[in-house]
Amino acid sequence: MTKALITGIGITTAIGQGKDSFVESLLAGKDSFGIMQRQGRQKAGLSFIGAEISNFTSSKRLDERLSRRLSFCSQLTVATLEEAWDEARLDEVAPEKIALVIGGSNLQQRELVNTTEAYTNNPLYVKPSYSISLWDTDLCGLCTEVFPIRGVAYSIGGASASGQVAVMHAVDVVESGRFDVCIAIGAMTDISYLECQALRNVGAMGSTRYAEEPPLACRPFDQHRDGFIYGEACGVVIVESIRSATSRKAKPYGKVLGTATVLAGNRNPNPDLESEIAVIDKVLDQSKLSSKNIDYVNPHGSGSIVGDTTEINAILSSDLSNAFINTTKSITGHGLSAAGAVEIIATLLQMRTGQLHPSRNLITPEVNSINWVSQQCVSHKVEIALCLSYGFSGINTALCLENGLQ
Amino acid sequence: MTEEIIWNEVRKNIAEILPSVDVNGIKSNDRLVDLGANSVDRVEIVTLTLEGLNLTIPPHELAKANNLGDLVEILLKKASL
């Protein structure tokens, strides 16, 4: 059984920056969807629905000189880490005992498109700093420059499961005993119109059906869904050894009981039912739990037409009938590499508040034999939660969390 | 192109990259490193300046500049060719 605690979280999404604002909006099922406006998501004749962050406040640890030249993705990372860092009081931990893993790859495609468009006619004058920001590990450099992190720092990928892969890896790092703390960041995947259109063309991204009604577009598990809807997000999870957290008297949100990955052996984006069932079996086994112990599932639930059906079948096959299920992506949109971390955070905050958030637009669920939290919040003290994430290329991951208030 | 135009471009880009510097107080024997510029800041300022003046100068020629006066002189020489 895995033994690692989560002692701090940071969150920035379109529905709120910081956990207080985030959880309030989550429980209210706040709508933040619209036609995306950010530079680099615009192209004549194209229009994409998503949840973009507005009213963002940058970290107080960044001086003006650094701040004005950082990309949006970088600013988001530092501000979100700052919240988690301060909550976990990581200034108390020796810098050499703190590790960092960034979940996600090719994080700043929108910056790439903007740079390409600005310098296509005269590449001689491309900004020298682009040679630095093009690496995902630029975020490692930035975070370790701003915060005293001197253990290891690197990035790890798993497509849309990246955020959960990062948290799972952080658990492994802490369990190895080499470091007391490993910070897992589900980094923002900052996509451009090209990624949006490619994801639409492959059949993953919606919504052409609700093109005129953005608030209705994001509807995981609903019969009228037509694909995932993007949402800007970053989530930071501080994973800490029980020994370290106990000695510092840190107050954990929860304990990671087990983690699992099952590979479908498939380069394509399509889901695989057998693998999705197998990863649930595997994480329950790792966590020494039965399916009846799970009283809340935070599913991948992207709104994908085939993906959601497959996930429902995996959940039904796994006899998770004691569990409530809602869908965080219905409110935040799909944060891609951030999603897995954002959803672990949403799970922990629901544990702490004793409330399960509604699922936006889950009006006609594909099946009724699941304990959906649909239009209204449900009061429920989650004891043990199961979080699921899936990524292109056959990546299926699962993680079990125990409520830290127990 | 006059020396004054080049100085104005250099000052503008220093202000852009190093917002805390009082660019009106800059002298020709000042060095970017002494104004607080790190290695990336320096090449950012130089690249922006080349772009603003529409000049092309290879890095090994620019490396001969020891201070801002030298830089302006190299730029002016190139602009006059």
Side-chain angles (χ1 to χ4, degrees):
Chain A
M1 189 186 289
T2 303
K3 285 195 171 65
L5 299 175
I6 294 173
T7 54
I9 55 182
I11 181 86
T12 310
T13 67
I15 60 164
Q17 179 176 3
K19 55 185 83 68
D20 293 343
S21 164
F22 174 71
V23 77
E24 185 186 333
S25 299
L26 201 59
L27 295 177
K30 182 178 172 182
D31 171 42
S32 61
F33 295 96
I35 305 294
M36 294 200 283
Q37 304 292 328
R38 214 175 284 292
Q39 184 196 356
R41 295 195 193 123
Q42 310 288 307
K43 194 72 178 174
L46 300 180
S47 162
F48 303 97
I49 295 172
E52 292 185 320
I53 294 167
S54 54
N55 303 319
F56 169 71
T57 306
S58 199
S59 162
K60 59 183 182 292
R61 283 174 167 87
L62 294 175
D63 63 26
E64 188 195 357
R65 169 181 162 218
L66 192 52
S67 183
R68 65 199 291 182
R69 288 156 66 202
L70 285 178
S71 67
F72 185 54
C73 173
S74 301
Q75 302 228 21
L76 216 58
T77 302
V78 175
T80 312
L81 173 53
E82 179 167 80
E83 183 191 11
W85 181 280
D86 290 343
E87 181 181 47
R89 309 189 317 268
L90 291 188
D91 284 331
E92 295 173 359
V93 180
E96 296 73 22
K97 300 305 282 182
I98 303 176
L100 169 68
V101 55
I102 304 279
S105 41
N106 303 325
L107 295 167
Q108 305 198 49
Q109 295 293 104
R110 190 174 61 85
E111 295 288 330
L112 168 66
V113 163
N114 287 340
T115 301
T116 304
E117 292 192 347
Y119 294 102
T120 292
N121 294 330
N122 217 337
L124 271 177
Y125 302 125
V126 66
K127 287 185 187 348
S129 57
Y130 178 60
S131 69
I132 300 169
S133 63
L134 68 88
W135 307 95
D136 293 323
T137 43
D138 179 34
L139 295 179
C140 296
L142 176 63
C143 291
T144 59
E145 184 172 305
V146 177
F147 299 89
I149 300 166
R150 294 294 181 271
V152 294
Y154 42 79
S155 62
I156 192 166
S160 290
S162 295
Q164 187 165 114
V165 168
V167 174
M168 289 174 27
H169 187 76
V171 170
D172 288 346
V173 166
V174 164
E175 278 207 302
S176 76
R178 288 183 299 142
F179 302 100
D180 292 340
V181 169
C182 185
I183 301 162
I185 301 187
M188 177 196 193
T189 311
D190 194 354
I191 53 175
S192 77
Y193 65 84
L194 276 179
E195 288 74 42
C196 290
Q197 189 61 43
L199 286 161
R200 177 177 283 174
N201 288 351
V202 84
M205 183 185 271
S207 169
T208 47
R209 177 176 295 166
Y210 293 99
E212 306 302 320
E213 298 164 288
L216 302 182
C218 191
R219 46 197 318 126
F221 299 120
D222 186 82
Q223 287 178 25
H224 302 296
R225 69 187 184 274
D226 72 339
F228 85 82
I229 302 297
Y230 174 71
E232 293 181 334
C234 177
V236 177
V237 177
I238 309 288
V239 179
E240 183 164 2
S241 71
I242 291 177
R243 184 185 48 74
S244 170
T246 305
S247 73
R248 298 195 306 119
K249 296 188 170 54
K251 183 184 171 193
Y253 279 92
K255 183 193 282 184
V256 181
L257 297 177
T259 65
T261 301
V262 169
L263 300 176
N266 172 13
R267 183 182 166 246
N268 289 322
N270 58 295
D272 179 60
L273 178 61
E274 275 183 34
S275 305
E276 292 187 20
I277 294 170
V279 81
I280 294 172
D281 283 348
K282 194 170 172 181
V283 78
L284 291 173
D285 184 54
Q286 296 274 330
S287 309
K288 306 206 182 320
L289 295 168
S290 94
S291 60
K292 297 292 185 193
N293 296 126
I294 304 294
D295 62 343
Y296 171 69
V297 176
N298 190 303
H300 182 69
S302 68
S304 153
I305 296 171
V306 187
D308 283 9
T309 303
T310 308
E311 186 168 19
I312 285 171
N313 289 330
I315 287 167
L316 290 173
S317 300
S318 301
D319 195 19
L320 292 160
S321 51
N322 282 352
F324 284 105
I325 303 182
N326 57 10
T327 149
T328 301
K329 287 186 183 80
S330 72
I331 304 176
T332 60
H334 189 348
L336 303 175
S337 52
V342 167
E343 287 148 23
I344 286 169
I345 290 164
T347 299
L348 294 167
L349 290 171
Q350 291 176 98
M351 281 180 169
R352 195 160 269 197
T353 57
Q355 294 281 312
L356 300 180
H357 72 73
S359 306
R360 282 184 56 77
N361 298 317
L362 186 55
I363 294 160
T364 46
E366 179 156 320
V367 298
N368 289 313
S369 51
I370 279 179
N371 225 351
W372 300 112
V373 184
S374 49
Q375 301 302 295
Q376 303 293 328
C377 278
V378 168
S379 291
H380 174 69
K381 182 176 176 291
V382 176
E383 292 182 5
I384 297 176
L386 168 66
C387 296
L388 301 171
S389 280
Y390 311 131
F392 283 5
S393 295
I395 298 166
N396 302 279
T397 65
L399 180 146
C400 282
L401 288 169
E402 183 182 64
N403 193 329
L405 295 177
Q406 288 179 337
Chain B
M1 192 179 298
T2 66
E3 190 172 333
E4 191 189 353
I5 290 173
I6 294 175
W7 270 112
N8 286 342
E9 187 68 25
V10 169
R11 284 195 197 93
K12 185 183 89 179
N13 294 321
I14 291 173
E16 170 69 22
I17 301 297
L18 305 170
S20 62
V21 171
D22 172 18
V23 291
N24 295 319
I26 285 174
K27 302 178 297 296
S28 63
N29 62 351
D30 281 337
R31 294 156 48 90
L32 283 173
V33 69
D34 297 330
L35 298 175
N38 65 26
S39 61
V40 179
D41 297 334
R42 298 199 292 275
V43 288
E44 289 274 298
I45 290 165
V46 170
T47 307
L48 283 169
T49 304
L50 289 170
E51 183 179 15
L53 300 173
N54 200 23
L55 293 175
T56 308
I57 304 177
H60 71 271
E61 284 186 33
L62 288 163
K64 292 173 188 163
N66 283 314
N67 55 37
L68 287 170
D70 289 353
L71 175 65
V72 170
E73 195 174 312
I74 292 169
L75 293 168
L76 183 61
K77 197 170 153 193
K78 186 75 180 184
S80 311
L81 286 178

